[in-house]
Amino acid sequence: MGADQQRMKAITAAKKLGIYLPAAPQEFQAAQLSRQEVEELERHPPDWLTDLRRNGPHPRPVVAGRLGISISGLTRAGIEGALTTAEINELRDDPPDWLIAERVVQEDTRQQDQRRRENEAERRARAASGQRPRPHS
């Protein structure tokens, strides 16, 4: 069986499409889709997929992204399930203390990651130029 003929489980297809599998139609949940079929859904989404992406419920990675926090932040806040767009918008419009705190954590993490990338790039540039590594301070 060629690569084009390989099938993926519905949970994998749902992750690729960014949807919450239990909210998808039963036919989709029971399907084994090819990569080409998933790409076709992406290019020409049926009404159910468009509606699901617009209104939810959304899987945790989508919820976290729309709230500007990590999935771990959702867990710390006790949010274990999917949320609808209306629920996400409600949290965004009137953010509870936990959401404000998690956004700070997320921003700190982004800044640390950026500094780490910059330091690594500097280290590689020094190594490429033959310079000795800078001592840690």
Side-chain angles (χ1 to χ4, degrees):
M1 190 178 275
D4 292 340
Q5 299 302 314
Q6 288 180 342
R7 313 293 277 175
M8 65 182 83
K9 293 179 180 178
I11 187 70
T12 304
K15 285 179 184 176
K16 289 184 178 292
L17 293 170
I19 62 170
Y20 183 58
L21 182 60
Q26 188 57 44
E27 308 81 57
F28 181 86
Q29 291 183 42
Q32 295 256 329
L33 296 114
S34 68
R35 222 178 246 144
Q36 187 176 19
E37 289 168 323
V38 172
E39 288 170 3
E40 182 63 23
L41 285 171
E42 193 68 61
R43 279 192 300 274
H44 304 288
D47 289 342
W48 67 263
L49 181 53
T50 301
D51 184 58
L52 198 52
R53 285 178 165 169
R54 183 182 310 116
N55 301 314
H58 303 286
R60 290 164 46 85
V62 173
V63 172
R66 288 187 179 188
L67 291 175
I69 63 173
S70 67
I71 295 172
S72 297
L74 288 175
T75 302
R76 284 189 291 272
I79 298 178
E80 296 295 328
L83 296 179
T84 64
T85 299
E87 291 168 324
I88 293 168
N89 289 341
E90 189 177 309
L91 288 169
R92 287 161 72 183
D93 291 345
D94 187 18
D97 291 342
W98 68 262
L99 180 53
I100 295 166
E102 287 300 334
R103 285 178 173 166
V104 169
V105 168
Q106 186 71 9
E107 182 56 31
D108 287 347
T109 301
R110 282 188 194 118
Q111 289 176 4
Q112 288 173 9
D113 289 346
Q114 180 63 32
R115 283 192 299 272
R116 202 172 295 119
R117 283 190 298 273
E118 289 168 357
N119 289 341
E120 181 61 21
E122 182 181 322
R123 186 195 64 74
R124 278 187 299 228
R126 286 179 182 272
S129 69
Q131 293 180 5
R132 292 174 26 147
R134 194 177 73 199
H136 294 292
S137 41

